[in-house]
């Protein structure tokens, strides 16, 4: 890969740019990882827009069927799950120490590691 950092996707907003820069300034990513990061930046930007709608209208809305959760709040929950999975798929180290080596990334895993529920945990 060249020494120049990859450019963020067209249309990326402030929150997405912060995520993009924080990753590409620190790590050299392969093409498939750049694709994951692109989707993560778009998801972060969408979450920001959804948050604006919920803050403007409140977490609930009145409908003919009664008080309901704001559709943007419901969508934000789904987008947070997607973001967590995208970031987990990037395999970036967590925290200052990572896996003990400065700047090292975790070993490659088979499949995507994400956020999943624990079966049988709820009765």
């Amino acid at each position: 890969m060249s020494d120049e950092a990859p450019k963020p996707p067209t249309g990326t907003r402030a929150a997405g740019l912060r995520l993009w820069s924080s990753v590409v300034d620190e790590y050299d990513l392969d093409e498939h990882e750049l694709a994951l990061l692109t989707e993560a930046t778009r998801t972060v930007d969408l979450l920001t827009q959804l948050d604006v709608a919920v803050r403007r209208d409140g977490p609930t809305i009145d409908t003919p069927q009664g008080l309901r959760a704001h559709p943007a709040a419901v969508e934000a929950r789904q987008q947070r799950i997607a973001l967590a999975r995208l970031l987990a798929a990037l395999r970036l180290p967590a925290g200052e120490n990572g896996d003990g080596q400065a700047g090292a990334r975790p070993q490659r895993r088979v499949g995507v590691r994400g956020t999943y529920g624990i079966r049988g945990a709820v009765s």
Side-chain angles (χ1 to χ4, degrees):
M1 220 167 166
S2 69
D3 290 338
E4 187 176 320
K7 301 288 185 226
T10 305
T12 304
R13 296 178 177 203
L17 287 173
R18 284 191 302 274
L19 173 62
W20 182 271
S21 295
S22 70
V23 175
V24 298
D25 290 350
E26 190 73 26
Y27 304 101
D28 290 327
L29 301 178
D30 294 331
E31 286 299 316
H32 70 282
E33 293 166 324
L34 286 172
L36 289 169
L37 182 58
T38 295
E39 292 308 313
T41 59
R42 290 177 178 153
T43 302
V44 166
D45 285 342
L46 177 57
L47 280 166
T48 301
Q49 292 174 316
L50 293 170
D51 184 58
V52 168
V54 172
R55 288 177 185 270
R56 179 190 64 228
D57 303 336
T60 57
I61 58 171
D62 284 320
T63 69
Q65 294 79 29
L67 199 59
R68 300 278 189 235
H70 194 298
V74 174
E75 181 60 23
R77 180 179 57 223
Q78 296 301 315
Q79 292 299 318
R80 285 185 193 104
I81 293 168
L83 179 61
R85 290 178 178 169
L86 287 165
L87 295 175
L90 278 172
R91 305 172 341 272
L92 299 175
E96 290 285 321
N97 296 334
D99 65 350
Q101 299 176 1
R105 294 170 66 194
Q107 67 185 18
R108 295 196 182 267
R109 295 183 180 97
V110 176
V112 175
R113 182 176 172 155
T115 56
Y116 303 95
I118 300 172
R119 293 180 191 216
V122 178
S123 301

